[in-house]
Amino acid sequence: MAIVFAANFAMLPLVTPHRAGGAGELVVPAPPERVALFCLTFAALAAYFVWCWSNGRRTLAMKTWRLRLVTAEGGVVSPKLALLRFLAAWAGPALAIAAYAALSRAGLGAYAAWLVAFNFLWAFIDRDRQFLHDRIARTRLVA
């Protein structure tokens, strides 16, 4: 979350609309600014996770829980493989957005929310109990 807060704080002066009057008024940035903010946040998260997951490094949570990310063969994860894992981790949120777009016309958009967790729910049906993004990237978490 600190990465998200820092990236968003850095972009705040660029995406905050400046309007005369209306002190204390909440104004939503225009779509181009929102897209730019999302892209910067996405890139910052990608850089953080690719760096932490590659070449034997670990995130703070992985250090706390004494977990390591390795390839399916037990080797060190390359930056390219770490990037694939990061992108694959967005499969669930992407499915949720697509389902929301399809279901919202019928007033059923709220039913798409559970798809955000699709990558993690995948472990219930996976033969090795792996998350979907680990299955796609051919990586695994080990203690």
Side-chain angles (χ1 to χ4, degrees), residues 22-97:
E25 175 185 337
L26 178 63
V27 180
V28 176
E33 285 88 6
R34 291 194 311 251
V35 168
L37 187 59
F38 174 79
C39 290
L40 175 76
T41 303
F42 188 85
L45 285 171
Y48 171 76
F49 283 111
V50 167
W51 186 80
C52 285
W53 290 338
S54 60
N55 301 322
R57 292 183 290 263
R58 301 179 294 169
T59 63
L60 181 59
M62 291 169 71
K63 290 176 185 178
T64 302
W65 290 97
R66 294 182 178 96
L67 296 174
R68 290 182 304 119
L69 183 67
V70 297
T71 63
E73 298 79 30
V76 175
V77 175
S78 68
K80 184 177 176 180
L81 202 56
L83 179 61
L84 175 61
R85 185 178 193 259
F86 175 79
L87 294 174
W90 284 86
L95 279 172
I97 291 169

Side-chain angles (χ1 to χ4, degrees), residues 77-143:
V77 175
S78 68
K80 184 177 176 180
L81 202 56
L83 179 61
L84 175 61
R85 185 178 193 259
F86 175 79
L87 294 174
W90 284 86
L95 279 172
I97 291 169
Y100 177 81
L103 294 173
S104 63
R105 293 182 210 130
L108 302 171
Y111 292 105
W114 72 271
L115 286 169
V116 170
F118 183 75
N119 288 27
F120 304 103
L121 295 172
W122 179 267
F124 289 113
I125 61 168
D126 188 87
R127 68 179 184 276
D128 299 322
R129 299 289 185 231
Q130 284 191 298
F131 298 131
L132 181 60
H133 48 275
D134 283 319
R135 179 64 65 193
I136 291 170
R138 297 189 32 84
T139 58
R140 58 190 171 100
L141 288 170
V142 294

